[in-house]
Structure formats: structure tokens, C-alpha cells
Amino acid sequence: MKKVLVINANPKQESLCQSLAEHYASIAGKKHDIKQVNLADMSFEMDLQQGYDKETPLEDDLKGFQQHVTWAEHIVIVSPVWWGTIPAKFKGVIDRTFLPGFAFKYQEGKSIPQKLLSGRTSELIITLDTPPFWYKYVQGNPIYKQLKHTILSFTGIKNQTSIYLGPVLTATEQRRQSWFDKISKRAAQL
């Protein structure tokens, strides 16, 4: 049994990402301990106005998010692609919570910080309106590079898999059902 955190990174109250996150959690919850975070339910100042120069007190929702990340052994991020990458509100969560002393620690004389979230794994479920092959191979797959390399790997979280679902705008009901089937299979394999 793993401790699994499922994050719906779409800030809209109702979305395909929310449905996919809930579906994943319901399937994985048959074998694992699940906690869910729905970005739409969070209230906080998105901007880290002083960078790391001055500590900005965390709102309760951000403290709760950090507690969930600390608790988790496996993190599932369900995110739409907006302007090539993650929504601004999700970036705000990362900016405000993945702080020095929580997610990483600068070490004197070393250029690479200590990874404080090591030992955790993740998977990405990405929805997009662009065909996945075009997004990955022509546009350069920026969401993957941002999440996997500059956030997750940087803090010690090892990404295991990434699933791309799209294009959402033109998807038939049958196509959407195939995505839920794919998520069911992945969640059951966890």
C-alpha cells in the first residue's frame, strides 16, 4: 500500500482534469491510501513577490499542500497544457511551496542543491488541445521539461511515466472514454 497524492492542477471548478483525477483516485484507492488536491479549491497569493530574499508566510491551503507532499510516496499530477505549459495558478503553488528548506537546500560550495523530496515517485497525466505528437515533437514538450526536469528531478522526485490525452476540443465521447479506460489501467497497475 502506497501513500498517493493526486493533484488536479486545473484551476477551473469543473474540468476534464478534475474528472480524470477523481477517476484515478477512485481506482488507485482500492489498493492505496489516497489524498487529493483540487487546485480550484485553493485560495492563496500566487506571486512569490520577494523571491527567496524574504520569507512570505504561507496561507493554510499552501501549508496543507506541503503536508500532503511530505506525506506522499507517489504524486500524480493531472494538468492541462495552457500556453504550452502548466496553468499559472499551479505554477504559483510550486513557487510558493517548493521552497528552500522544504523542497531543496542550498549547500555551501556546491552548485547543485540537496534534493529534500527524494524517495518519492510521480506520474504526469497531461491534457491538451494540440495533438500529442505535434506538442511533443514540434513544440518541444515544454510541460514535460518543466515538470520533470526543472521541478520534480530538481527536488528529488522521480517521474515514472507521462500520459498525454488530446486533442480534447475535438474528442468524441468514445475517445474520451478510451482515456478513462487508460487511466483506469494505469491506476490499477500502481
Side-chain angles (χ1 to χ4, degrees):
M1 180 180 248
K2 288 185 181 180
K3 295 184 229 176
V4 181
L5 174 61
V6 180
I7 301 169
N8 169 21
N10 192 321
K12 291 168 39 178
Q13 281 295 337
E14 294 181 18
S15 67
L16 176 61
C17 288
Q18 180 180 347
S19 297
L20 291 167
E22 289 172 356
H23 185 69
Y24 187 103
S26 72
I27 301 297
K30 295 175 184 175
K31 295 191 313 190
H32 302 287
D33 192 3
I34 304 289
K35 289 189 180 183
Q36 290 181 257
V37 171
N38 185 9
L39 201 65
D41 297 335
M42 297 178 69
S43 177
F44 59 94
E45 172 61 46
M46 290 180 9
D47 191 13
L48 187 62
Q49 295 176 6
Q50 302 299 319
Y52 301 144
D53 295 339
K54 182 179 175 186
E55 186 175 328
T56 305
L58 295 178
E59 295 88 344
D60 289 343
D61 285 343
L62 295 181
K63 289 177 189 174
F65 183 83
Q66 281 186 331
Q67 289 168 353
H68 290 331
V69 170
T70 300
W71 167 87
E73 297 168 329
H74 185 71
I75 300 169
V76 180
I77 299 171
V78 185
S79 179
V81 171
W82 285 7
W83 287 106
T85 190
I86 59 177
K89 189 172 182 181
F90 186 50
K91 177 66 164 59
V93 169
I94 299 301
D95 285 350
R96 294 286 316 282
T97 62
F98 276 45
L99 300 168
F102 173 76
F104 63 95
K105 181 179 180 183
Y106 292 116
Q107 302 175 83
E108 190 170 331
K110 296 187 178 183
S111 58
I112 299 176
Q114 181 182 356
K115 301 174 181 199
L116 298 181
L117 298 177
S118 294
R120 290 165 182 80
T121 56
S122 68
E123 64 187 281
L124 308 175
I125 300 170
I126 308 299
T127 66
L128 59 166
D129 289 329
T130 305
F133 75 88
W134 183 265
Y135 179 76
K136 290 197 277 189
Y137 302 112
V138 175
Q139 294 180 334
N141 205 6
I143 197 169
Y144 178 80
K145 291 175 182 176
Q146 181 183 27
L147 287 171
K148 183 184 185 292
H149 297 298
T150 64
I151 297 172
L152 299 171
S153 292
F154 183 82
T155 61
I157 301 170
K158 185 178 185 333
N159 192 62
Q160 295 180 319
T161 190
S162 301
I163 298 170
Y164 295 81
L165 307 174
V168 172
L169 279 177
T170 58
T172 63
E173 195 56 43
Q174 182 179 8
R175 182 76 171 137
R176 286 176 183 248
Q177 186 55 53
S178 74
W179 296 339
F180 280 90
D181 294 343
K182 189 174 196 173
I183 297 307
S184 295
K185 185 176 178 183
R186 177 61 197 144
Q189 291 173 346
L190 181 63

